[in-house]
Amino acid sequence: MDATILLLLLQDGVVNGAIYALIALSLVLVFTVTRVILIPQGEFVAYGALTLASLEAGTLPGTVPLLLGLGGLAFLADCAEARHSLDGRTLLRLGLRDLVLPALVAAAAWILAPMKPGLLIEILVTLAIVTPMGGFLYAVAFRPLAHASVLVLLIASVGVHLALTGLGLVFFGAEGSRTPPLSEASFPAGPLLVSGQSLWMIGLTLAIIVALWLFFSRTLLGKALIATAVNRLGARLMGIAPSLAGRLSVSVAAFIGALSGVLIAPLTTVYYDTGFLIGLKGFVAAIIAGLASYPAAAAAAILVGIIESIASFEASAFKEVIVFMAIIPVLLWRSLRSAPIEDEE
Amino acid sequence: MTQPMLEAETLSVAYGRVEAVRGVSLTVAPGRLVTVLGANGAGKTTLLNALMGVLPARGRILFEGRDLTRLPIEARVAQGLSLIPERRELFATMSVEDNLKLGAFRFRHTARGKDGGGDLGEMYRLFPRLAERRRQQAGTLSGGERQMLAMARALMGRPRLLMLDEPSLGLAPLIVAEVMRMVARLRDEGVAILLVEQNARAALQIADHGYVLDGGSVVLQGDSRTLQGDARVVETYLGSLSVDEALPGRTASGR
Ligand SMILES: Nc1ncnc2c1ncn2[C@@H]1O[C@H](COP(=O)(O)OP(=O)(O)O)[C@@H](O)[C@H]1O
Ligand SMILES: [Mg+2]
């Protein structure tokens, strides 16, 4: 392997690593706020990619009926949750959020899809379809278990992942899809040719990281999420409901997932079950960061991307194995270094 | 008679099979300072946690006539209840100022929620130490400062009934006196107060009414003058004056 190839592999690794970084950040966010290890994060990625591909083809994406269905289920779950203080105003608020909002998004998708309104509008519609699913899933699957242990929450998470993968097959079929790149341009940089697509990926990843940082450091709602992660009881005593924080964090994760899907859709053919493997690599990075530190998770994700790209060049048959084995020394090092953690609550 | 602000009817709380609070009834009238006294393990913390919704309870809790018994903590906060818990539950890795701003979270949809309105400046006037340390992480504060921050954070939420769980715990006598003065002043400003204390002397000095808890039940109640003069209270909780003066902040119950 000469220097040029190494540079190429590094470039590739950083671009893929950017996606893993987005996923790892979402996993850290959701875990610290809700103690849920969000296995279905990969499905948001696949849904994002497949939804955009449907819109690109001028058809109504399968995620639209799914969104309506999930909204309906979330409405029932929300009513059950609020049963002790269910008045007309609450009912109206829940109905707007769980039924009317998805209906509006569905109507927009239904009108816009056949018009093929161009990539930008299609991306916005994609994000509008996938993002609310995060909150709905939280209300349906995770909120009822808010007092359960991390293990029970993980099992529920695996269940949601399996369900969403199955629904992906039902609504999108077994065929894969690919979308045109966000930019056809490419720029020479020394021996490398940097594509506009990879610049978009790195640029948007950085933009999301900056936006997340601003959200957490400048807005009361962002601080409320951190407060919930730092001290759940303390946050509740300030009137910050864990369900509000949980819903918000999983919605942010769904948004980031969908955006990741939009970004990878031009690079690789995405199938209904592609998300899992991508999500797993983000998960490896999040674990390396102890599911706690955002900067460490982002850095680890870039590392995972680079390991993957070098492994696929040197030993392509074993590339996944090598990536997932990277977690072992880290876990060993962690378990030697840190005292056992008490299972809180 | 004015309608009581807070009314607990035959409240019982159990940890598994062990009942830590047994059939406690108590009322707090608007603008009054009521104290709950009792030795370690008497059930004081359990009682406050039940009133705030941190623990589920049997019985009934009414706040201004509304039944709160089955509402979650957040809904009680929205009604104007606030608890400063025994362990303070600060946001240790966040700055003092962020802790305070989050205290006003329930006003986030109103103008006051924006940076806590004028309340942030008011808190810094009230607690100058916090102003000095506004950028410091809450976890690095001293015990007294932490207690100040817990109080200021609760006040940012403009509670109408403030419950304090042993605010004097672990504080130097001078600071205890200051905390008690502040609690009394809050009452004078119209905030109803439910003050749980082991430091019976300090609490009775500022309280209007008191309950004595033992083994999870109310064994004695009355206005604070009467309690200060009650032989049982003097013997069990106030101790002999000489010991108490030598070691203020301690009770005779063994702590
Ligand atoms: N989490 C718990 N699990 C089991 N028993 C508890 C728990 N917390 C308190 N208790 C018991 O309940 C009783 C009352 O405790 P507590 O309310 O903390 O008393 P106080 O605040 O008056 O010191 C004590 O006997 C204590 O051992
Ligand atoms: Mg206690």
Side-chain angles (χ1 to χ4, degrees):
Chain A
M1 174 166 35
D2 63 26
T4 312
I5 294 183
L6 184 64
L7 266 180
L8 256 175
L9 293 177
L10 282 180
Q11 184 202 0
D12 227 36
V14 169
V15 170
N16 284 337
I19 296 295
Y20 303 151
L22 288 179
I23 290 166
L25 293 179
S26 322
L27 292 176
V28 171
L29 170 66
V30 171
F31 182 75
T32 52
V33 172
T34 65
R35 298 176 303 125
V36 172
I37 295 171
L38 196 65
I39 309 288
Q41 177 66 13
E43 273 62 64
F44 295 136
V45 177
Y47 283 6
L50 294 169
T51 303
L52 182 61
S54 293
L55 290 170
E56 192 57 33
T59 57
L60 189 70
T63 31
V64 167
L66 188 57
L67 176 70
L68 293 172
L70 280 175
L73 286 177
F75 182 70
L76 295 180
D78 283 340
C79 288
E81 175 78 9
R83 64 192 177 281
H84 296 306
S85 52
L86 200 59
D87 52 23
R89 269 190 57 187
T90 317
L91 211 59
L92 183 69
R93 192 169 53 81
L94 297 180
L96 278 176
R97 185 177 66 185
D98 298 341
L99 303 174
V100 177
L101 175 85
L104 289 177
V105 171
W110 188 69
I111 294 170
L112 287 172
M115 292 165 57
K116 296 205 183 182
L119 201 54
L120 181 64
I121 307 268
E122 287 161 5
I123 290 175
L124 292 177
V125 172
T126 300
L127 295 174
I129 293 172
V130 179
T131 305
M133 287 186 186
F136 294 157
L137 280 174
Y138 174 78
V140 172
F142 297 121
R143 189 180 52 202
L145 299 171
H147 301 289
S149 68
V150 172
L151 181 63
V152 171
L153 288 169
L154 175 63
I155 293 169
S157 189
V158 171
V160 171
H161 153 67
L162 293 173
L164 288 187
T165 312
L167 288 167
L169 179 60
V170 170
F171 284 113
F172 288 106
E175 274 108 82
S177 314
R178 208 165 176 150
T179 62
L182 297 175
S183 154
E184 306 274 7
S186 58
F187 313 91
L192 299 177
L193 203 59
V194 180
S195 70
Q197 173 71 22
S198 47
L199 289 182
W200 268 109
M201 292 175 75
I202 292 171
L204 274 176
T205 302
L206 289 177
I208 293 264
I209 289 174
V210 170
L212 276 180
W213 178 77
L214 287 174
F215 175 61
F216 286 135
S217 63
R218 297 290 155 83
T219 70
L220 194 63
L221 209 54
K223 286 173 184 168
L225 280 193
I226 301 187
T228 301
V230 171
N231 187 327
R232 180 176 303 258
L233 176 58
R236 295 193 70 185
L237 290 171
M238 300 303 110
I240 305 166
S243 58
L244 172 83
R247 201 165 182 132
L248 187 61
S249 64
V250 182
S251 298
V252 170
F255 173 81
I256 296 178
L259 192 64
S260 313
V262 165
L263 290 176
I264 59 154
L267 294 186
T268 169
T269 307
V270 176
Y271 300 87
Y272 71 97
D273 62 352
T274 303
F276 181 59
L277 218 54
I278 298 171
L280 218 49
K281 285 169 196 155
F283 178 68
V284 169
I287 290 285
I288 292 176
L291 278 170
S293 157
Y294 292 93
I302 301 292
L303 189 70
V304 166
I306 291 173
I307 292 176
E308 182 191 24
S309 117
I310 290 176
S312 61
F313 179 76
E314 292 288 341
S316 65
F318 297 107
K319 88 171 194 198
E320 313 292 2
V321 180
I322 292 173
V323 169
F324 294 126
M325 267 179 19
I327 209 171
I328 293 175
V330 174
L331 289 181
L332 273 177
W333 176 66
R334 277 196 167 276
S335 65
L336 290 177
R337 218 175 119 267
S338 62
I341 305 163
E342 295 168 44
D343 196 12
E344 25 95 64
E345 282 166 78
Chain B
M1 271 304 284
T2 49
Q3 190 202 12
M5 189 167 212
L6 178 77
E7 204 172 359
E9 292 170 5
T10 59
L11 221 54
S12 296
V13 187
Y15 296 105
R17 262 196 218 131
V18 187
E19 273 208 323
V21 166
R22 307 157 191 245
V24 168
S25 298
L26 100 179
T27 59
V28 181
R32 283 319 185 85
L33 200 169
V34 175
T35 182
V36 175
L37 308 172
N40 223 349
K44 306 183 297 297
T45 297
T46 307
L47 174 64
L48 281 197
N49 281 341
L51 290 172
M52 197 63 212
V54 178
L55 291 173
R58 280 185 295 120
R60 225 152 70 104
I61 302 164
L62 298 175
F63 185 67
E64 298 182 323
R66 269 185 299 256
D67 192 335
L68 296 184
T69 321
R70 311 198 54 183
L71 292 187
I73 302 175
E74 304 81 43
R76 300 185 202 207
V77 172
Q79 307 264 333
L81 254 79
S82 184
L83 167 68
I84 301 177
E86 197 167 19
R87 298 169 53 182
R88 312 303 176 232
E89 312 291 356
L90 297 173
F91 307 121
T93 57
M94 303 179 80
S95 70
V96 165
E97 183 144 315
D98 281 349
N99 269 270
L100 291 176
K101 284 181 177 171
L102 285 163
F105 184 80
R106 77 181 184 103
F107 301 122
R108 70 188 180 286
H109 294 307
T110 68
R112 191 183 290 153
K114 304 273 173 282
D115 282 3
D119 287 0
L120 198 56
E122 175 69 24
M123 288 311 140
Y124 286 147
R125 250 194 312 285
L126 216 54
F127 305 95
R129 290 289 281 176
L130 296 182
E132 285 166 33
R133 314 207 166 240
R134 71 210 308 169
R135 309 235 168 279
Q136 201 170 317
Q137 284 195 358
T140 64
L141 298 179
S142 73
E145 289 164 350
R146 248 179 255 191
Q147 172 57 18
M148 297 291 164
L149 178 55
M151 263 181 94
R153 186 180 68 165
L155 294 181
M156 289 291 290
R158 300 234 172 163
R160 288 185 304 134
L161 172 70
L162 180 61
M163 305 192 277
L164 301 97
D165 196 345
E166 300 211 36
S168 73
L169 194 72
L171 298 189
L174 229 64
I175 304 180
V176 171
E178 194 182 324
V179 167
M180 291 300 161
R181 261 200 305 280
M182 212 154 253
V183 173
R185 192 155 96 210
L186 279 177
R187 181 257 326 266
D188 296 340
E189 284 168 10
V191 182
I193 306 241
L194 186 58
L195 171 66
V196 155
E197 262 303 333
Q198 261 189 76
N199 188 337
R201 181 178 303 281
L204 285 175
Q205 264 165 17
I206 57 168
D208 303 306
H209 194 90
Y211 292 83
V212 177
L213 218 56
D214 190 19
S217 312
V218 174
V219 291
L220 203 62
Q221 63 161 305
D223 70 65
S224 46
R225 276 286 144 66
T226 322
L227 287 182
Q228 271 172 317
D230 187 286
R232 277 181 291 173
V233 175
V234 171
E235 187 190 322
T236 323
Y237 301 106
L238 297 184
S240 74
L241 212 63
S242 58
V243 171
D244 216 62
E245 271 171 356
L247 294 164
R250 287 177 68 157
T251 69
S253 59
R255 275 186 57 99

